[in-house]
Amino acid sequence: MKSPSMFRGLLSFSSMTMISRVLGLLRDISMSHVFGANAATDAFVIAFRIPNFMRRLFAEGSFSTAFVPVFTEVKQTGTHEDLKQLLSRVSGTLGGVLLVVTALGLIFAPQVAGTFAPGALDQPHKFDLTTHLVRLTFPFILFVSLTALAGGALNSFHRFALPALAPVILNICMIAGALWLAPRLDTPIMAMGWAVLLAGALQLLFLLPALRKLDLLGIPRWGWRHPQVRRIMRLMVPTLFGSSVAQLNLLLDTVVISLLVTGSQTWLWQSTRFLELPLGVFGVALGTVILPALSRHHVSTDRAGFSKALDWGLRLTLLIAVPAMFALLLLAGPLVDTLFQNGHYTAFDAHMSTLSIIALSCGLPAYALVKVVLPAFYARQDTRTPVRAGVAALVANMLFNGVFIVLLFELWASPALKQGSLLDGIAQVPGLHVGLAIASTLSSYLNFVLLWRWLKRAGVYQREPGWTRHWLRLALACAAMVVVLLFGRWLWPDWMGVPVFARVWHLSVLVAAGGATYVGMLFVGGFRMRDLRST
């Protein structure tokens, strides 16, 4: 059975997301150059992580996974007027609730800042700065959630490009904020807060014409008692937790990391950028594209089509995530030294980011596979199972946090620091943020293993032929790529002591040679382009 529409949807979504992620990388390069890693950038990371968490929760998590199956079902079984009314009621209800949430966030900004950054409470300047930035960034929650609603509706009509392109606006605004607005303000980091606020409104406005073209744009109306709205809400409440364990982990990590040495927030923030490219372009893209297809197969009771679509997603995920993991492990240092070590971002900052990239990259296959496996539950409107896996992973993550922070403290702290208070000690030892990265990786694998076990138990997935050949081909291609990258690292061992142009040239050669070797060996092993289209 062929599924060219899913493959075209993936290409469309991935290409637009690629633009967004590359601009996101340029955004972080601009921020590191202008601000460096200090208390001010830590304050922005804390303030932005809260609405950014909501963006992941809604745009790539619970709202889409609850809304799209119901919207698709109405699209398949109802009239266009039913569909338009549903969107109007959902937008009115969601917008009304989030207006209240946003107002509360603005009023209680000091309490929000204190909750997510307890380590800043004894630093008045950092705490005040975090509070001001929270007030600027918090309305982003309202705008981005409505943008996710518009994007989910467009995805159900196989319009993947525009929703994937919308985050480009955020990155452009933040780049302009860092390079143009920041030098003009008394407190330069406030430019990033204004950039986030403006970008939120622009992203929503960007998608409205596409909804109007589909005749789906209506006046938002309160619809709490509308049966389909209530159904979406019932599905959404458990998925708020279940589909976003990784993001909840990051948010809780923000609380823990605020207790560590200044700069830790920024080091970990910059590290996640290198996972965002493969994870966003392929993991999230596959999850987004496959959800409407799985929902359609479930509505039409096509069990074979459901299983084949999921099998296609799993194979394609491994084809990207596994080599990306090995490449990041070997190129973490060169990447950070080349892209971030400039301006106010020092060699020490680069080294700290490199350590956390290495720890996080080990979990890349798990992060990506979870994004593909979760839609298999949500398409069948099973929201309870992901919650069970999510609870286990979240609890494990917090336990791992404590274990690895203490373990690294014991390994790296001086004898004098070990004699004093543990909390005072961990606030003085750099590098303990790596413990949080290790914990996040391990908890993601636990989340995937549990989801996979319960998916097999549900009996909705049957493995297609050819998996042994797929694994052998993947192992051969990754091994060849690793050899090439190791040779390159041996050939160019020094990255900090050479000019920026030489770093860029060497890195470009390594990436091109590694990528070409991997793709070439896939084809030597029998891979063909038609394999991407088979489901």
Side-chain angles (χ1 to χ4, degrees), residues 143-156:
F143 293 124
V144 80
S145 301
L146 293 175
T147 301
L149 170 63
L154 291 172
N155 288 342
S156 296

Side-chain angles (χ1 to χ4, degrees), residues 94-107:
L94 181 66
V97 171
L98 289 172
L99 273 173
V100 175
V101 172
T102 301
L104 292 173
L106 296 177
I107 294 169

Side-chain angles (χ1 to χ4, degrees), residues 22 52 60 109 124 127 145-146 167 172 176 181 194 221 264 273 296 326 410 458 468 471 491 498 502:
V22 170
N52 197 47
E60 298 161 5
F127 180 75
S145 301
L146 293 175
I172 290 174
L181 183 57
W194 287 109
R221 299 179 184 277
S264 297
R273 174 53 47 197
R296 189 171 60 251
F326 286 116
E410 291 296 324
T468 301
W471 278 114
L491 188 64
V498 297

